[in-house]
Amino acid sequence: MQVVYTPAHLAHDITTETFMGLSIPANEVAERAEKIRDALTADGGFAFVEPTDHGEAPITAVHEPGLVRFLEVAWSEVRRQGIARPFLSADTYPNTAMFEGMSEDAIAALVREPVHAGGRAGFWGLDSAAPLVAGTYLAARGAVDVALTAADLVVAGAPAAYGLCRPPGHHAARSMYGGYCFFNNAAIAAEAIVRSTHEHVAILDVDYHHGNGSQQIFWRRGDVRYVSIHADPDSDYPYFLGRADETGEGDGAGENLNIPLSAGTTDEEYLGAVDQALDAIAETSGSVIVVSLGFDTYGLDPIGTFALTTGVYHEIGRRTAALGRRLVILQEGGYHRPSLGENARAWLRGAEGRSFEPRPAGGFGESGAVAG
Ligand SMILES: [Zn+2]
Protein backbone atom coordinates (compact mmCIF):
# COMPACT_ATOMS: atom_id res chain seq x y z
CA MET A 1 0.00 0.00 0.00
CA GLN A 2 1.16 3.50 -0.72
CA VAL A 3 1.45 5.87 2.23
CA VAL A 4 1.28 9.60 1.63
CA TYR A 5 3.37 11.57 4.13
CA THR A 6 4.93 14.99 4.39
CA PRO A 7 7.17 16.42 7.12
CA ALA A 8 5.16 19.68 6.81
CA HIS A 9 3.14 18.52 9.84
CA LEU A 10 6.20 19.09 12.07
CA ALA A 11 5.59 22.85 11.76
CA HIS A 12 2.39 22.46 13.80
CA ASP A 13 4.53 22.11 16.89
CA ILE A 14 2.12 22.00 19.83
CA THR A 15 3.23 21.45 23.43
CA THR A 16 0.20 22.41 25.53
CA GLU A 17 -3.56 22.47 25.12
CA THR A 18 -6.43 23.61 27.27
CA PHE A 19 -9.00 21.22 28.65
CA MET A 20 -11.86 22.73 30.64
CA GLY A 21 -9.73 25.75 31.39
CA LEU A 22 -6.70 23.80 32.55
CA SER A 23 -3.45 23.89 30.62
CA ILE A 24 -2.28 20.31 30.03
CA PRO A 25 0.44 18.67 27.93
CA ALA A 26 -0.79 18.50 24.36
CA ASN A 27 -2.16 15.21 23.05
CA GLU A 28 -2.13 16.04 19.34
CA VAL A 29 1.66 16.30 18.93
CA ALA A 30 4.04 15.77 16.04
CA GLU A 31 5.41 12.59 17.57
CA ARG A 32 2.11 10.86 16.73
CA ALA A 33 2.65 10.92 13.00
CA GLU A 34 6.34 10.11 13.37
CA LYS A 35 5.52 6.99 15.41
CA ILE A 36 3.22 5.77 12.65
CA ARG A 37 5.75 6.61 9.96
CA ASP A 38 8.48 4.71 11.83
CA ALA A 39 6.32 1.60 12.26
CA LEU A 40 5.21 1.51 8.63
CA THR A 41 8.78 2.04 7.49
CA ALA A 42 10.01 -0.82 9.70
CA ASP A 43 7.23 -3.05 8.37
CA GLY A 44 8.78 -2.87 4.93
CA GLY A 45 5.49 -3.45 3.12
CA PHE A 46 4.54 0.18 2.59
CA ALA A 47 5.76 2.59 -0.09
CA PHE A 48 6.01 6.24 0.96
CA VAL A 49 5.12 9.00 -1.47
CA GLU A 50 5.12 12.77 -1.07
CA PRO A 51 1.89 14.68 -1.55
CA THR A 52 1.39 16.97 -4.53
CA ASP A 53 0.19 20.55 -4.16
CA HIS A 54 -3.54 20.72 -4.98
CA GLY A 55 -3.97 24.43 -4.37
CA GLU A 56 -6.81 26.08 -2.52
CA ALA A 57 -9.79 25.22 -4.74
CA PRO A 58 -10.49 21.77 -3.23
CA ILE A 59 -10.44 23.38 0.23
CA THR A 60 -12.92 26.15 -0.58
CA ALA A 61 -15.13 23.52 -2.24
CA VAL A 62 -15.80 22.42 1.34
CA HIS A 63 -14.81 25.33 3.60
CA GLU A 64 -15.87 28.95 3.83
CA PRO A 65 -13.13 31.07 2.22
CA GLY A 66 -13.12 33.34 5.29
CA LEU A 67 -11.99 30.41 7.45
CA VAL A 68 -9.11 29.73 5.06
CA ARG A 69 -8.10 33.41 5.13
CA PHE A 70 -8.24 33.51 8.93
CA LEU A 71 -6.06 30.42 9.32
CA GLU A 72 -3.60 31.80 6.79
CA VAL A 73 -3.08 35.15 8.54
CA ALA A 74 -3.89 34.28 12.16
CA TRP A 75 -0.34 33.95 13.42
CA SER A 76 0.98 37.03 11.65
CA GLU A 77 -1.97 38.93 13.18
CA VAL A 78 -1.05 37.65 16.65
CA ARG A 79 2.43 39.06 16.14
CA ARG A 80 1.26 42.30 14.49
CA GLN A 81 -1.17 42.94 17.34
CA GLY A 82 1.54 42.32 19.91
CA ILE A 83 -0.30 39.46 21.59
CA ALA A 84 2.31 37.80 23.80
CA ARG A 85 1.19 34.18 23.80
CA PRO A 86 2.98 30.99 22.72
CA PHE A 87 -0.15 29.98 20.77
CA LEU A 88 -3.44 31.50 19.69
CA SER A 89 -6.57 30.37 21.45
CA ALA A 90 -9.84 32.27 21.65
CA ASP A 91 -10.82 34.48 24.53
CA THR A 92 -14.51 34.65 23.63
CA TYR A 93 -16.87 32.40 21.72
CA PRO A 94 -20.07 33.91 20.35
CA ASN A 95 -22.74 32.04 22.28
CA THR A 96 -25.91 32.56 20.24
CA ALA A 97 -27.61 34.03 23.30
CA MET A 98 -25.33 37.06 22.92
CA PHE A 99 -27.54 38.10 20.01
CA GLU A 100 -30.91 37.05 21.42
CA GLY A 101 -33.68 39.42 20.33
CA MET A 102 -31.80 40.63 17.25
CA SER A 103 -33.37 39.71 13.91
CA GLU A 104 -31.39 37.58 11.46
CA ASP A 105 -31.09 40.69 9.28
CA ALA A 106 -29.72 42.70 12.19
CA ILE A 107 -27.24 39.98 13.08
CA ALA A 108 -26.09 39.78 9.44
CA ALA A 109 -25.67 43.55 9.28
CA LEU A 110 -24.22 44.26 12.70
CA VAL A 111 -22.26 41.23 13.88
CA ARG A 112 -18.88 41.09 12.15
CA GLU A 113 -15.75 39.03 12.29
CA PRO A 114 -13.76 40.68 15.08
CA VAL A 115 -10.47 42.48 14.48
CA HIS A 116 -8.65 41.21 17.60
CA ALA A 117 -6.90 37.91 16.82
CA GLY A 118 -8.35 36.33 19.98
CA GLY A 119 -11.82 37.45 18.96
CA ARG A 120 -11.31 36.13 15.44
CA ALA A 121 -10.25 32.78 16.89
CA GLY A 122 -13.58 32.69 18.72
CA PHE A 123 -15.49 33.70 15.58
CA TRP A 124 -14.03 30.79 13.56
CA GLY A 125 -13.23 28.33 16.34
CA LEU A 126 -15.31 25.78 18.23
CA ASP A 127 -13.22 25.40 21.36
CA SER A 128 -9.90 25.97 23.07
CA ALA A 129 -8.57 22.53 22.03
CA ALA A 130 -6.99 23.65 18.77
CA PRO A 131 -4.07 25.94 19.67
CA LEU A 132 -2.74 27.70 16.60
CA VAL A 133 1.00 28.36 16.17
CA ALA A 134 3.27 29.81 13.50
CA GLY A 135 3.36 26.64 11.41
CA THR A 136 -0.25 25.56 11.79
CA TYR A 137 -1.50 26.80 8.45
CA LEU A 138 1.30 25.19 6.43
CA ALA A 139 0.87 21.93 8.31
CA ALA A 140 -2.90 21.97 7.80
CA ARG A 141 -2.44 22.67 4.08
CA GLY A 142 0.04 19.78 3.96
CA ALA A 143 -2.50 17.44 5.57
CA VAL A 144 -5.07 18.40 2.94
CA ASP A 145 -2.58 17.65 0.16
CA VAL A 146 -1.81 14.31 1.81
CA ALA A 147 -5.52 13.43 1.79
CA LEU A 148 -6.04 14.61 -1.80
CA THR A 149 -2.97 12.73 -3.03
CA ALA A 150 -4.23 9.54 -1.38
CA ALA A 151 -7.60 10.14 -3.06
CA ASP A 152 -5.85 10.62 -6.43
CA LEU A 153 -4.09 7.26 -6.06
CA VAL A 154 -7.38 5.50 -5.38
CA VAL A 155 -9.33 7.30 -8.10
CA ALA A 156 -6.55 6.23 -10.47
CA GLY A 157 -7.21 2.61 -9.54
CA ALA A 158 -5.29 1.70 -6.38
CA PRO A 159 -7.37 -0.58 -4.16
CA ALA A 160 -6.30 1.45 -1.13
CA ALA A 161 -4.03 4.30 -0.07
CA TYR A 162 -3.23 5.69 3.36
CA GLY A 163 -2.85 9.40 4.02
CA LEU A 164 -0.87 10.06 7.20
CA CYS A 165 -2.72 13.30 7.85
CA ARG A 166 -1.70 15.57 10.71
CA PRO A 167 -3.30 17.73 11.98
CA PRO A 168 -6.48 15.64 11.83
CA GLY A 169 -9.66 17.02 10.29
CA HIS A 170 -13.05 15.55 11.12
CA HIS A 171 -14.10 18.14 13.71
CA ALA A 172 -13.61 21.01 11.26
CA ALA A 173 -16.93 22.16 9.80
CA ARG A 174 -17.58 24.35 6.77
CA SER A 175 -16.95 27.59 8.67
CA MET A 176 -15.28 26.33 11.84
CA TYR A 177 -12.07 24.79 13.12
CA GLY A 178 -11.68 23.01 16.47
CA GLY A 179 -10.89 19.79 18.28
CA TYR A 180 -7.26 19.65 17.04
CA CYS A 181 -8.62 20.05 13.47
CA PHE A 182 -8.24 22.97 11.03
CA PHE A 183 -9.27 21.71 7.59
CA ASN A 184 -11.49 18.66 7.21
CA ASN A 185 -9.14 16.39 5.26
CA ALA A 186 -11.67 13.57 4.85
CA ALA A 187 -14.48 15.86 3.73
CA ILE A 188 -12.21 17.62 1.25
CA ALA A 189 -11.12 14.25 -0.15
CA ALA A 190 -14.71 12.95 -0.33
CA GLU A 191 -15.84 16.08 -2.14
CA ALA A 192 -12.97 15.84 -4.61
CA ILE A 193 -13.84 12.20 -5.31
CA VAL A 194 -17.52 13.04 -5.88
CA ARG A 195 -16.53 15.79 -8.32
CA SER A 196 -14.04 13.67 -10.26
CA THR A 197 -15.99 10.38 -10.38
CA HIS A 198 -19.63 11.63 -10.15
CA GLU A 199 -20.17 8.62 -7.91
CA HIS A 200 -21.75 8.40 -4.48
CA VAL A 201 -19.05 8.37 -1.77
CA ALA A 202 -19.25 6.93 1.74
CA ILE A 203 -17.27 8.15 4.73
CA LEU A 204 -16.63 5.59 7.46
CA ASP A 205 -15.50 7.42 10.60
CA VAL A 206 -13.94 5.10 13.18
CA ASP A 207 -12.24 7.73 15.29
CA TYR A 208 -13.27 7.63 18.97
CA HIS A 209 -15.02 10.97 18.62
CA HIS A 210 -17.98 11.95 16.50
CA GLY A 211 -16.88 13.78 13.36
CA ASN A 212 -19.21 16.71 13.78
CA GLY A 213 -17.50 18.60 10.98
CA SER A 214 -17.97 15.85 8.41
CA GLN A 215 -21.60 15.45 9.49
CA GLN A 216 -22.22 19.19 9.16
CA ILE A 217 -20.58 19.50 5.75
CA PHE A 218 -22.62 16.70 4.18
CA TRP A 219 -25.81 17.06 6.28
CA ARG A 220 -28.00 17.95 3.28
CA ARG A 221 -26.09 15.99 0.67
CA GLY A 222 -27.55 12.95 -1.06
CA ASP A 223 -24.27 11.95 -2.70
CA VAL A 224 -22.14 11.46 0.43
CA ARG A 225 -23.14 9.09 3.23
CA TYR A 226 -21.50 9.76 6.58
CA VAL A 227 -21.35 6.77 8.94
CA SER A 228 -19.69 7.21 12.31
CA ILE A 229 -18.98 4.95 15.29
CA HIS A 230 -18.00 6.98 18.33
CA ALA A 231 -18.28 7.70 22.03
CA ASP A 232 -21.68 8.86 23.21
CA PRO A 233 -21.77 12.68 23.18
CA ASP A 234 -23.44 12.56 26.60
CA SER A 235 -20.01 11.68 27.96
CA ASP A 236 -17.54 12.88 25.34
CA TYR A 237 -16.51 15.67 23.01
CA PRO A 238 -18.05 17.18 20.89
CA TYR A 239 -21.03 16.96 23.29
CA PHE A 240 -23.54 18.79 21.07
CA LEU A 241 -23.70 16.36 18.13
CA GLY A 242 -23.27 12.64 17.49
CA ARG A 243 -26.57 11.12 18.59
CA ALA A 244 -28.34 8.33 16.75
CA ASP A 245 -31.34 10.49 15.83
CA GLU A 246 -29.21 12.83 13.65
CA THR A 247 -29.93 11.38 10.22
CA GLY A 248 -29.58 14.29 7.76
CA GLU A 249 -32.09 16.60 6.07
CA GLY A 250 -33.30 17.41 2.59
CA ASP A 251 -31.36 15.46 -0.04
CA GLY A 252 -29.27 14.14 2.83
CA ALA A 253 -32.20 12.64 4.75
CA GLY A 254 -31.13 9.14 5.76
CA GLU A 255 -27.54 9.66 4.60
CA ASN A 256 -26.16 10.28 8.10
CA LEU A 257 -25.75 7.36 10.50
CA ASN A 258 -24.40 7.83 14.01
CA ILE A 259 -23.59 4.82 16.17
CA PRO A 260 -22.75 6.09 19.67
CA LEU A 261 -21.18 3.58 22.06
CA SER A 262 -20.63 3.51 25.81
CA ALA A 263 -17.46 3.68 27.86
CA GLY A 264 -15.78 0.29 28.13
CA THR A 265 -16.82 -0.85 24.63
CA THR A 266 -15.04 -4.14 23.88
CA ASP A 267 -13.59 -5.54 20.67
CA GLU A 268 -16.68 -7.70 20.13
CA GLU A 269 -19.12 -4.85 20.75
CA TYR A 270 -17.14 -2.58 18.45
CA LEU A 271 -17.05 -5.16 15.66
CA GLY A 272 -20.84 -5.39 15.89
CA ALA A 273 -21.01 -1.64 15.27
CA VAL A 274 -18.54 -1.97 12.39
CA ASP A 275 -20.78 -4.56 10.75
CA GLN A 276 -23.78 -2.25 11.16
CA ALA A 277 -21.80 0.63 9.63
CA LEU A 278 -20.57 -1.47 6.71
CA ASP A 279 -24.13 -2.72 6.05
CA ALA A 280 -25.23 0.92 5.77
CA ILE A 281 -22.42 1.62 3.31
CA ALA A 282 -23.18 -1.53 1.29
CA GLU A 283 -26.65 -0.08 0.60
CA THR A 284 -25.10 2.79 -1.34
CA SER A 285 -23.78 2.88 -4.87
CA GLY A 286 -20.21 4.03 -5.46
CA SER A 287 -16.85 2.34 -5.41
CA VAL A 288 -14.83 4.37 -2.88
CA ILE A 289 -14.94 4.67 0.90
CA VAL A 290 -13.10 7.44 2.70
CA VAL A 291 -12.07 6.13 6.12
CA SER A 292 -11.54 8.57 8.98
CA LEU A 293 -9.20 6.38 10.99
CA GLY A 294 -8.65 7.07 14.67
CA PHE A 295 -6.88 5.01 17.29
CA ASP A 296 -8.25 6.88 20.30
CA THR A 297 -10.57 3.85 20.56
CA TYR A 298 -7.55 1.92 21.90
CA GLY A 299 -7.77 0.63 25.47
CA LEU A 300 -4.80 2.65 26.69
CA ASP A 301 -5.68 5.89 24.95
CA PRO A 302 -5.38 8.81 27.39
CA ILE A 303 -8.57 10.54 26.21
CA GLY A 304 -10.71 7.59 25.11
CA THR A 305 -12.72 5.16 27.26
CA PHE A 306 -13.10 2.17 24.91
CA ALA A 307 -11.22 -1.10 25.46
CA LEU A 308 -10.09 -2.04 21.96
CA THR A 309 -6.92 -4.06 21.42
CA THR A 310 -4.35 -3.93 18.63
CA GLY A 311 -5.58 -7.18 17.15
CA VAL A 312 -9.09 -5.86 16.51
CA TYR A 313 -7.75 -3.11 14.26
CA HIS A 314 -6.50 -5.78 11.90
CA GLU A 315 -9.99 -7.29 11.83
CA ILE A 316 -11.69 -3.90 11.30
CA GLY A 317 -9.36 -3.21 8.37
CA ARG A 318 -10.05 -6.66 6.96
CA ARG A 319 -13.85 -6.31 7.23
CA THR A 320 -13.80 -2.83 5.73
CA ALA A 321 -11.80 -3.99 2.71
CA ALA A 322 -14.00 -7.09 2.38
CA LEU A 323 -16.81 -4.80 1.23
CA GLY A 324 -14.97 -4.78 -2.07
CA ARG A 325 -14.65 -1.01 -2.41
CA ARG A 326 -11.48 0.99 -2.76
CA LEU A 327 -10.30 2.75 0.38
CA VAL A 328 -8.91 6.23 0.97
CA ILE A 329 -7.72 5.79 4.55
CA LEU A 330 -6.96 9.06 6.35
CA GLN A 331 -5.47 9.44 9.81
CA GLU A 332 -7.54 11.28 12.41
CA GLY A 333 -6.94 10.87 16.17
CA GLY A 334 -5.19 8.42 18.48
CA TYR A 335 -3.11 9.64 21.41
CA HIS A 336 -1.45 6.67 23.08
CA ARG A 337 1.80 7.30 21.29
CA PRO A 338 3.62 4.02 22.08
CA SER A 339 0.87 1.97 20.39
CA LEU A 340 0.06 4.15 17.38
CA GLY A 341 2.51 2.52 15.01
CA GLU A 342 1.41 -1.03 15.75
CA ASN A 343 -2.27 -0.12 15.63
CA ALA A 344 -1.85 1.56 12.24
CA ARG A 345 0.20 -1.33 10.93
CA ALA A 346 -2.47 -3.80 12.09
CA TRP A 347 -5.33 -1.86 10.47
CA LEU A 348 -3.57 -1.29 7.17
CA ARG A 349 -2.28 -4.84 6.86
CA GLY A 350 -5.83 -6.04 7.53
CA ALA A 351 -7.12 -3.79 4.77
CA GLU A 352 -4.53 -5.27 2.42
CA GLY A 353 -5.40 -8.86 3.30
CA ARG A 354 -2.00 -9.42 4.90
CA SER A 355 -1.68 -11.19 8.25
CA PHE A 356 -0.81 -8.93 11.18
CA GLU A 357 2.40 -10.51 12.51
CA PRO A 358 2.79 -8.41 15.66
CA ARG A 359 6.21 -7.02 16.38
CA PRO A 360 7.76 -8.33 19.59
CA ALA A 361 7.57 -5.72 22.34
CA GLY A 362 10.52 -3.40 21.95
CA GLY A 363 10.94 -4.58 18.37
CA PHE A 364 11.24 -1.03 17.27
CA GLY A 365 10.83 2.35 18.88
CA GLU A 366 9.14 2.07 22.23
CA SER A 367 6.20 0.04 21.01
CA GLY A 368 4.46 -1.43 24.00
CA ALA A 369 1.35 -2.11 21.98
CA VAL A 370 1.75 -5.85 21.66
CA ALA A 371 1.92 -6.30 25.39
CA GLY A 372 -0.72 -3.58 26.00
ZN1 LIG B 1 -10.76 11.48 18.18
Side-chain angles (χ1 to χ4, degrees):
M1 187 184 302
Q2 294 194 83
V3 174
V4 190
Y5 167 86
T6 171
H9 81 89
L10 296 168
H12 182 55
D13 184 15
I14 299 299
T15 53
T16 57
E17 64 177 81
T18 311
F19 179 66
M20 296 182 74
L22 193 68
S23 183
I24 60 172
N27 286 299
E28 203 295 285
V29 294
E31 185 191 353
R32 298 177 54 246
E34 296 305 298
K35 286 285 185 194
I36 294 174
R37 184 176 70 114
D38 290 348
L40 299 184
T41 301
D43 180 275
F46 297 93
F48 282 76
V49 295
E50 292 256 344
T52 52
D53 183 357
H54 286 67
E56 193 174 295
I59 301 176
T60 52
V62 159
H63 287 294
E64 176 64 34
L67 172 65
V68 183
R69 288 287 77 76
F70 165 71
L71 294 173
E72 183 178 21
V73 304
W75 191 253
S76 59
E77 282 296 296
V78 168
R79 285 289 174 253
R80 195 180 66 79
Q81 295 179 12
I83 299 169
R85 288 286 189 280
F87 58 82
L88 175 62
S89 187
D91 178 54
T92 304
Y93 294 99
N95 186 315
T96 54
M98 190 175 189
F99 315 114
E100 194 171 333
M102 295 171 74
S103 66
E104 281 187 27
D105 287 348
I107 291 170
L110 301 175
V111 179
R112 305 176 185 90
E113 180 177 356
V115 172
H116 187 276
R120 287 181 79 180
F123 184 84
W124 295 109
L126 169 63
D127 53 53
S128 59
L132 192 151
V133 296
T136 298
Y137 178 71
L138 283 179
R141 286 291 299 261
V144 169
D145 283 326
V146 164
L148 288 168
T149 303
D152 289 344
L153 293 168
V154 168
V155 167
Y162 171 60
L164 215 181
C165 296
R166 181 183 173 270
H170 73 154
H171 294 304
R174 173 171 178 78
S175 307
M176 184 184 81
Y177 74 100
Y180 309 155
C181 303
F182 298 90
F183 295 129
N184 193 319
N185 308 310
I188 292 167
E191 178 69 20
I193 296 164
V194 167
R195 291 188 183 203
S196 69
T197 65
H198 306 289
E199 286 187 4
H200 187 285
V201 171
I203 300 175
L204 173 65
D205 191 330
V206 288
D207 185 89
Y208 175 78
H209 301 94
H210 177 245
N212 58 286
S214 304
Q215 171 171 303
Q216 182 275 321
I217 287 166
F218 298 113
W219 182 250
R220 290 180 176 273
R221 291 278 294 272
D223 50 0
V224 177
R225 176 165 292 191
Y226 178 69
V227 180
S228 178
I229 306 168
H230 50 262
D232 192 318
D234 283 350
S235 58
D236 279 271
Y237 184 95
Y239 311 115
F240 293 93
L241 290 172
R243 296 186 174 82
D245 56 3
E246 298 158 18
T247 55
E249 289 183 79
D251 289 346
E255 292 288 340
N256 196 89
L257 174 62
N258 286 332
I259 307 174
L261 299 174
S262 315
T265 289
T266 63
D267 287 348
E268 291 70 27
E269 289 163 341
Y270 196 89
L271 285 172
V274 168
D275 288 342
Q276 184 188 347
L278 293 175
D279 284 349
I281 290 173
E283 291 171 358
T284 64
S285 62
S287 61
V288 177
I289 303 173
V290 175
V291 180
S292 274
L293 179 58
F295 296 115
D296 33 9
T297 50
Y298 186 58
L300 296 178
D301 192 273
I303 64 175
T305 64
F306 292 174
L308 302 202
T309 63
T310 296
V312 83
Y313 293 120
H314 184 263
E315 179 61 14
I316 298 166
R318 191 193 69 75
R319 291 190 190 190
T320 303
L323 215 55
R325 304 195 182 192
R326 288 171 292 147
L327 305 178
V328 178
I329 306 159
L330 304 178
Q331 191 60 47
E332 300 280 0
Y335 305 101
H336 182 254
R337 293 178 327 240
S339 71
L340 278 174
E342 277 297 89
N343 288 342
R345 217 170 60 81
W347 209 103
L348 298 174
R349 286 178 68 113
E352 284 189 297
R354 289 198 282 156
S355 62
F356 173 36
E357 295 173 17
R359 293 263 162 177
F364 55 78
E366 52 175 299
S367 174
V370 178

